[in-house]
Amino acid sequence: LSAHASYYINFNSPDASKVKASRYRVLQAARVAWRCGADTVVFHAGWRHQDAPERVYETVRSHVSEMVQTLREEGVGITLRPETTGKPAQFGDLDELLQLAQDVPGIKPCLDFAHLHARSGLVNTEVEFEDVLRAMEQALGAESLQDIHIHLSGIQYGDRGELRHLSLEDADLDYIALLRVLRRMGVSGRIICESPVNGEDAQRLQQAWLEMGSEC
């Protein structure tokens, strides 16, 4: 079981009250999820605004580190997973999240491949999907590929990145290529389908995975 924290989160807000509320929402999501038997809470960390990337990173790192410490002191064993985001204006590109997971014990990334694709129109071939996973393996160790958390859907995007999620059939994301790479690399973990036709596309993903069998 996993949970997605509130979308109203921005650790880099210039408004201190919004930062405080953001911390509260993530902590409460983790506390409730833990009592329900979950092991993971996913969240979007915030927006860059006009700040330098290095400053944004340090701000997010500080808040996330303090939240992890709070949860551990309370006996809450939830893994916090900041998610790769769909717009360059948002904190959460792959390199940032891998660095965050290296710097803050207990943090792991959530790889949203629709968001990664929407950021640039790239990350949509077997080679590119494997590059993402190899980068994670190199940064966090081979064991990170045995406890992976992925979000997957179709996505509409423009010059500034993500516009909205789409069904897999209505989008250009090559999810079959991604599943092929995941199977070939022996990746383990979970895939959360975030399609607007969630049940239908979750079944589509499962069927595609099963049909691959040993061919990969």
Side-chain angles (χ1 to χ4, degrees):
L1 190 65
S2 65
H4 198 302
S6 167
Y7 288 96
Y8 299 101
I9 291 169
N10 185 3
F11 294 123
N12 193 48
S13 174
D15 184 336
S17 66
K18 291 183 179 179
V19 174
K20 181 178 180 180
S22 296
R23 289 174 59 123
Y24 174 80
R25 289 167 182 149
V26 172
L27 289 170
Q28 281 299 90
R31 291 161 179 148
V32 173
W34 181 247
R35 294 186 69 180
C36 291
D39 59 13
T40 292
V41 165
V42 176
F43 63 96
H44 302 164
W47 295 83
R48 300 186 189 282
H49 302 295
Q50 303 302 315
D51 296 333
E54 296 81 7
R55 180 177 177 182
V56 178
Y57 178 84
E58 288 304 318
T59 298
V60 172
R61 184 198 59 77
S62 176
H63 289 298
V64 169
S65 180
E66 290 173 6
M67 288 192 302
V68 169
Q69 182 177 352
T70 296
L71 292 173
R72 295 302 175 264
E73 289 173 353
E74 295 177 0
V76 176
I78 282 284
T79 296
L80 295 182
R81 291 185 184 259
E83 179 180 341
T84 54
T85 49
K87 298 179 181 181
Q90 295 172 293
F91 176 88
D93 65 29
L94 180 63
D95 290 341
E96 288 171 328
L97 297 193
L98 293 180
Q99 187 63 54
L100 193 64
Q102 288 178 308
D103 290 349
V104 183
I107 290 293
K108 297 179 181 180
C110 169
L111 300 181
D112 189 315
F113 279 93
H115 287 167
L116 289 171
H117 178 46
R119 277 179 161 262
S120 62
L122 302 175
V123 192
N124 200 32
T125 66
E126 287 193 32
V127 171
E128 291 169 318
F129 293 138
E130 183 168 342
D131 284 346
V132 170
L133 296 169
R134 293 299 180 194
M136 183 169 173
E137 181 181 42
Q138 183 175 359
L140 306 179
E143 63 274 13
S144 66
L145 299 185
Q146 300 306 307
D147 179 30
I148 205 163
H149 193 102
I150 291 171
H151 286 178
L152 191 56
S153 70
I155 199 158
Q156 181 183 1
Y157 55 93
D159 293 341
R160 298 182 180 181
E162 175 189 9
L163 295 175
R164 64 188 179 101
H165 285 212
L166 300 173
S167 71
L168 293 171
E169 293 298 291
D170 290 336
D172 67 350
L173 183 70
D174 192 348
Y175 66 94
I176 295 295
L178 173 59
L179 295 181
R180 190 176 292 116
V181 171
L182 293 173
R183 184 177 278 278
R184 185 170 67 238
M185 292 181 64
V187 173
S188 297
R190 68 190 71 166
I191 297 176
I192 304 296
C193 180
E194 291 196 322
S195 164
V197 287
N198 187 273
E200 178 182 326
D201 274 353
Q203 287 185 315
R204 178 174 282 107
L205 289 169
Q206 183 184 53
Q207 186 63 32
W209 179 265
L210 294 174
E211 288 176 356
M212 286 180 185
S214 60
E215 71 179 47
C216 299

